[in-house]
Structures are given as C-alpha cells and as structure tokens.
Amino acid sequence: MPKHTSSRLAGAPISWGVCEVPGWGRQLPPERVLAEMAGLGLTATELGPIGYLPLDGAALRATLELHGLRLVGGFVPLVLHDSDRSGALARAEAIAAALAAGGADVFVAALVRDDAWSAPEPLDDAQWARLVAGLDEVAELVAARGLELAVHPHWGTLLERADAIERLLGASAAGWCLDTGHLLLAGIDPVAFAEAHGDRTVHVHLKDVDAAVAGRLRAGELTLVEATQAGLFRPLGAGDARIEPVLRALARHGYERWLVLEQDTAITGPEPPVGSGPVVDVRQSIDFLDTVALEEERGVARHA
C-alpha cells in the first residue's frame, strides 16, 4: 500500500451523482456535496462538471475553503483528432487557467469524438497523428500553468477499448490517469496496467465495478448511463476491479500522488435525506481503504 493514503485521498462530485451527461440523474447541490465530503474527513476534491463549481479562481478557492477542501484537478473532454483543433486548445487553455488559479495539480483529459460525446469510431492514421500532436500541445500549455496532463481512458470516448488504449500508450509519452473502473470496462486488467505503466501514472481514479453489469455494457445491452443506474460501479472492495492489488502495484512504482474516490453514481429518485444516499457508499470505500492500510501496517510490523 502507498504510505499516508488518507492524506492523499480526494473526493469527486461524480460520487454524489453529479455529472454533465444528459439524463444521468438528479444533481445534488454543491453545498451538500462539499459538506458531506468534509464530513467524511476528505480534504480535497476534483472540480466536477464544468460550471458545477465556480471557474473564477478566487471564488473557487473560497467555495472550497468554506468546507476545508482544496482542488486536485479537473476532468476535461477534448476533441484533438480533427484537422482544426484550435477550439479544443482554446478550451484547454481556459480551463487550465481556472484549475491553476483554483490550486489544482492535474489536468485530466478525456479524448472524445465530438463535443456531443457521440459514440466513438476508429481513427485513421492521420487522425491518430493529429491526436498525438494535440496531446503534446495540451501537455505543454497546461505545464505552463503548473499542471500535469493525465490522459483518461473512459467508456464512450476514443479510449473506450483496449486496442485504442494500447495504441496511444505506444504513440504518446503523455502521463495517464489510471482509472480502475474504466480500464476494466475496456477489457484491461487494472492490476496489469498498474504493474506495466505505474511509471506513466500521474493520477488515479478509484472505482470498483460489477463485472456482470460490465459485460452487459460491453455487449451493447446497456448504455453507460443505464449501466450506472443498474449498479455498474460499486463501493471499493465490493466489485471486481481488485483495488488492493492495484494499490500495491502502484506502491512498488513509488506512486505518492492523489487517489481520487470516483464511484460514478446516478440518483434516479427523490433527493435522499442528508447523511444517506451516495455518502454511504463513499464512507464504505473509505472504510475499505482504512482496513487495507491497517492490514498493511500490521504486516510490516510482523516482519520488522
């Protein structure tokens, strides 16, 4: 296990069902989400959907500081494979500036087919070349703001399946966000990814996955929204993503950056009472990580 896991553990609004995808579910207000994060002992969060929290740096810091939180980074969908990527680069520059002003460390990029998140299609060689060149440009512009680029594999994007992920790993030197859930959805063992690419991992999203529901998603029986509403993502330790071995593999690579609890959740009914709903699953995940860390400490003590 990485040392001092609790001090590097961050939350994310998506764990409270807050997502930009139309039809995803009920969106809880920031005041409740941030207060429940703080109540769980979390000290940091990702930005959430663009517009959910203020993008003005001073206002963003003030909003988070009311709850004793700081900003880790933000998830930014970009279209980089088109012949004209000026709009995507301008968007990246604007959001990077906002993230940096808010105190973030990481710029997490999702590579989408278009701004409407249309279903991904295979890229030709020219599009791949433009994508790789675009990533280099994004990495440079976010670095100028003191941020590090992390490429995020994600269902419904150009990095939905294992073949595309493996191709980009070979074509680009960019850093990666190891998302345990979306790697498993892509058909990649998250433990194997951590072992092979721990040195490329600059950010981590922790989510667990129900393999049976994931199979229905890959077979086209469910959309991502439907699968999420059907319980695709589980509290850590309750699914099939093998979270503990992932953490051990990352520790062997010396990973000591952020671990973000990002259990995609969809609220489809009435707003749950305060103290119930998504916060229960997040608390269960934190308890799981605490148990893993305690067992590791006992193991180290036994062998000392």
Side-chain angles (χ1 to χ4, degrees):
M1 279 284 295
K3 296 179 180 179
H4 312 301
T5 298
S6 60
S7 66
R8 298 182 294 110
L9 193 61
I14 186 64
S15 295
W16 276 260
V18 178
C19 181
E20 67 272 19
V21 176
W24 188 266
R26 180 179 293 276
Q27 308 289 288
L28 298 179
E31 295 76 14
R32 171 173 175 175
V33 172
L34 299 178
E36 290 191 348
M37 284 187 190
L40 292 170
L42 296 172
T43 60
T45 181
E46 285 199 359
L47 184 67
I50 304 303
Y52 182 67
L53 296 176
L55 285 180
D56 173 77
L60 177 55
R61 284 178 182 266
T63 298
L64 296 179
E65 287 170 0
L66 284 174
H67 302 279
L69 298 169
R70 61 153 293 186
L71 185 66
V72 170
F75 177 86
V76 187
L78 295 173
V79 181
L80 295 177
H81 60 284
D82 286 348
S83 54
D84 180 5
R85 53 179 177 269
S86 58
L89 294 175
R91 172 182 171 83
E93 172 65 38
I95 298 176
L99 290 173
D105 302 317
V106 183
F107 183 103
V108 183
L111 306 176
V112 293
R113 177 181 166 190
D114 54 38
D115 291 331
W117 280 66
S118 297
E121 293 183 345
L123 301 183
D124 60 30
D125 289 344
Q127 289 173 316
W128 269 108
R130 291 196 292 266
L131 177 65
V132 171
L135 276 176
D136 288 343
E137 291 178 277
V138 173
E140 183 176 351
L141 70 85
V142 303
R145 297 283 184 178
L147 305 173
E148 189 156 13
L149 173 66
V151 177
H152 192 318
H154 196 291
W155 191 266
T157 73
L158 300 177
L159 300 182
E160 178 180 79
R161 305 276 184 170
D163 56 349
I165 293 170
E166 295 294 344
R167 180 164 182 172
L168 189 60
L169 279 164
S172 170
W176 282 72
C177 173
L178 190 163
D179 185 297
T180 52
H182 284 286
L183 286 172
L184 189 60
L185 296 183
I188 295 176
D189 177 3
V191 180
F193 188 97
E195 290 172 341
H197 306 295
D199 58 332
R200 298 274 303 269
T201 300
V202 300
H203 199 52
V204 171
H205 285 170
L206 295 176
K207 55 170 65 77
D208 219 335
V209 171
D210 183 311
V213 181
R216 296 179 63 197
L217 173 65
R218 283 193 292 268
E221 296 177 20
L222 300 171
T223 66
L224 179 59
V225 174
E226 291 167 343
T228 302
Q229 293 173 346
L232 173 64
F233 298 110
R234 306 285 299 136
L236 300 186
D240 302 290
R242 300 199 294 152
I243 301 300
E244 183 175 353
V246 169
L247 293 172
R248 294 188 187 281
L250 288 171
R252 288 193 289 272
H253 281 277
Y255 183 85
E256 294 186 348
R257 300 170 185 251
W258 289 106
L259 302 168
V260 181
L261 287 172
E262 210 207 28
Q263 299 165 258
D264 296 18
T265 298
I267 302 173
T268 55
E271 180 171 334
V274 172
S276 66
V279 69
V280 176
D281 284 350
V282 180
R283 183 183 295 112
Q284 183 176 334
S285 292
I286 294 173
D287 290 345
F288 169 80
L289 293 174
D290 287 344
T291 299
V292 170
L294 181 59
E295 291 175 352
E296 176 70 10
E297 290 173 4
R298 288 172 176 169
V300 170
R302 284 196 298 270
H303 292 91

